[in-house]
């Protein structure tokens, strides 16, 4: 085979055209020399130069005196750290303020809580206390249960009170004592009468027996029973009391309570005209309208108080014309 030798200029031109169609890794060795722009060293340097060069449209340092994105990122990180510190401080401040506000609210609520202890009555409470006895008079009759303490045992009267006629009527039962005195009882502001029964009902009959009654004058100073009967009749009045005088005479609001399903407030006082300083000896359980649901009062010589509960059973009219 005959080999045709090409001139050097033609061979170089053919090699150049062939290299343009080859990948970088397949370039002829003479194009990969150290001085060639296609050498590996020059290629890596060119790539680094491209990566480190600032894009033409990079505005991160525009007009701020920041030399390049490196300083811009550093400033942003500093601002982020500063913002976090400020945010943490504000969170601490806000938490402290919140705790102080909550503590203040709880202190105010505790100070003004209905059950925070005895305090002077407000104007509204004084009005309720002043109208309580008049409420009984308006109703005329109230069903009552009276617990009377005694050395020989407790007496319980279940019956009714008529605050316009100033009279009462009920069943008398003894606890812890001889039941020979059990029976019916009726009374006015000046007289009390008893009627024994062989079998004592839970409630007094609407028509009491005509005969068999034993009576005597009612004397509140003679014994606890008479005193309790007089107290009950004294819980009605044909006019309200003077509300302005009640706070001056020791009336206080003690607590909130429930009596037979009724929401009530408990009040003490006022002082009795006959016994100054006696406000603590009597307590009233009144609802929001001044209706009386319980009265508890201490009596001289007894450890336990007299307790009067209202509306404990169905009302029975007090017989009249005795």
């Amino acid at each position: 085979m005959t080999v045709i030798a090409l001139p050097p200029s033609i061979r170089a031109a053919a090699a150049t055209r062939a290299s343009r169609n080859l990948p970088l890794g397949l370039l002829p060795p003479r194009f990969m020399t150290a001085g060639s722009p296609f050498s590996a060293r020059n290629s890596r340097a060119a790539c680094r130069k491209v990566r480190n060069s600032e894009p033409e449209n990079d505005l991160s340092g525009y007009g701020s005196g920041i030399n390049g994105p490196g300083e811009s990122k550093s400033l942003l990180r500093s601002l982020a750290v500063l913002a976090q510190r400020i945010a943490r401080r504000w969170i601490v401040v806000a938490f402290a303020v919140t705790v102080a506000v909550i503590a203040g609210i709880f202190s105010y609520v505790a100070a003004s809580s209905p059950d925070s202890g005895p305090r002077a009555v407000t104007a509204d409470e004084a009005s309720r206390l002043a109208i309580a006895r008049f409420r009984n008079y308006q109703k005329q009759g109230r069903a009552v249960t009276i617990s009377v303490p005694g050395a020989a045992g407790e007496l319980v009267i279940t019956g009714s009170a008529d605050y316009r006629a100033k009279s009462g009527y009920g069943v008398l039962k003894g606890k812890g004592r001889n039941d020979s005195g059990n029976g019916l009882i009726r009374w006015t502001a000046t007289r009390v009468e008893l009627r024994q029964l062989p079998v004592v009902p839970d409630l007094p009959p609407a028509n009491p027996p005509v005969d068999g009654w034993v009576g005597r004058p009612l004397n509140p100073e003679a014994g606890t029973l008479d005193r309790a009967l007089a107290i009950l009749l004294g819980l009605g009045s044909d006019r309200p009391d003077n509300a302005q005088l009640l706070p001056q005479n020791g009336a206080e609001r003690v607590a909130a309570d429930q009596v037979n399903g009724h929401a009530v407030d408990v009040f003490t006082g006022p002082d009795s005209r006959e016994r100054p300083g006696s406000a603590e000896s009597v307590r009233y359980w009144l609802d929001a309208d001044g209706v009386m649901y319980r009265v508890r009062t201490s009596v001289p010589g007894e450890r336990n108080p007299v307790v009067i509960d209202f509306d404990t059973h169905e009302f029975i009219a007090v017989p009249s014309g005795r």
Side-chain angles (χ1 to χ4, degrees), residues 186-207:
R186 60 189 184 189
W187 70 99
T188 64
T190 58
R191 186 173 177 81
V192 57
E193 296 179 339
L194 299 172
R195 176 40 161 99
Q196 291 186 345
L197 293 176
V199 178
V200 181
D202 293 331
L203 297 175
N207 298 312

Side-chain angles (χ1 to χ4, degrees), residues 107-124:
S107 298
Y108 174 79
V109 171
S112 59
S113 172
D115 299 314
S116 58
R119 57 168 173 77
V121 293
T122 64
D124 175 71

